[in-house]
């Protein structure tokens, strides 16, 4: 681009060229060239800064998401399986997992209660006897039958 500007200056202002091969620029030309370069540098720096900010925000989001999983008692490896594209998507995925875990725990508790009931039904009924009643001869069964 600089060579284009130089060529334009040479073609438009032949008086500016004062010798063989020497190029002279007006102050306006120099100001314009410098401003163009500064604008490009600022744009590049701004772009790099925005990329870094986005990367940092994504890292922070992943760390916060990881901490949420740990706080809820889930393994942190689950983070790779969840949608972490946005906070809303992550929270929705986490709610889905919470719902599934509650269902599983409820089914597990129901199964445990059912197993306990079946175990109690399988046991024969025995009357709890006090050891001291045997020693004194006052067996509650004998007493009930008047023996």
């Amino acid at each position: 681009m600089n060579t284009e500007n130089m060529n334009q200056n040479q073609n438009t202002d032949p008086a500016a060229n004062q010798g063989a091969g020497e190029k002279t620029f007006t102050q306006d030309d120099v100001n314009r060239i410098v401003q163009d370069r500064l604008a490009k540098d600022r744009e590049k720096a701004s772009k790099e800064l925005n990329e870094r900010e986005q990367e940092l925000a994504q890292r922070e989001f992943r760390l916060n998401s990881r901490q949420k999983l740990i706080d809820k008692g889930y393994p942190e490896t689950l983070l790779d399986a969840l949608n972490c594209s946005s906070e809303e998507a992550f929270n929705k995925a986490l709610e889905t997992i919470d719902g599934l875990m509650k269902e599983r725990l409820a089914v597990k508790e129901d199964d445990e209660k059912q197993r306990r009931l079946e175990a109690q039904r399988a046991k024969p009924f025995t009357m709890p006897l006090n050891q001291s009643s045997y020693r004194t001869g006052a067996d509650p069964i004998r007493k009930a039958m008047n023996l």
Side-chain angles (χ1 to χ4, degrees):
M1 183 168 169
N2 293 337
T3 57
E4 291 175 8
N5 289 339
M6 289 181 214
N7 290 338
Q8 287 176 355
N9 289 336
Q10 288 175 355
N11 294 336
T12 58
D13 191 10
N17 294 336
Q18 292 180 0
E22 262 187 55
K23 298 177 187 174
T24 57
F25 297 100
T26 63
Q27 187 63 41
D28 292 336
D29 292 339
V30 173
N31 289 343
R32 185 176 29 82
I33 292 169
V34 169
Q35 287 176 355
D36 288 345
R37 287 185 183 174
L38 286 175
K40 286 180 184 178
D41 286 344
R42 284 185 193 132
E43 184 178 322
K44 183 179 177 183
S46 175
K47 191 175 184 180
E48 288 175 359
L49 182 62
N50 286 337
E51 289 174 1
R52 286 182 183 175
E53 284 178 358
Q54 288 176 353
E55 185 179 315
L56 183 62
Q58 185 64 26
R59 284 182 185 176
E60 183 179 3
F61 174 69
R62 280 190 66 83
L63 284 174
N64 290 339
S65 300
R66 180 178 164 264
Q67 190 59 45
K68 280 183 184 179
L69 284 175
I70 291 171
D71 290 345
K72 289 195 175 235
Y74 299 127
E76 59 187 80
T77 55
L78 189 60
L79 185 64
D80 295 330
L82 297 178
N83 184 356
C84 295
S85 60
S86 69
E87 189 168 352
E88 291 175 1
F90 176 77
N91 288 336
K92 185 177 179 182
L94 194 57
E95 287 174 10
T96 302
I97 288 179
D98 283 341
L100 289 172
M101 291 303 291
K102 285 179 184 177
E103 286 178 19
R104 289 234 171 167
L105 289 176
V107 167
K108 202 178 232 185
E109 287 175 2
D110 289 344
D111 288 346
E112 183 66 24
K113 286 179 185 177
Q114 187 67 26
R115 188 186 61 75
R116 285 184 197 155
L117 283 174
E118 289 173 2
Q120 286 178 351
R121 288 183 192 150
K123 288 182 185 178
F125 177 74
T126 56
M127 178 100 142
L129 298 175
N130 191 347
Q131 287 182 352
S132 64
S133 64
Y134 283 114
R135 290 184 194 150
T136 60
D139 184 11
I141 295 175
R142 290 182 177 268
K143 194 174 189 181
M145 300 182 120
N146 292 326
L147 296 176

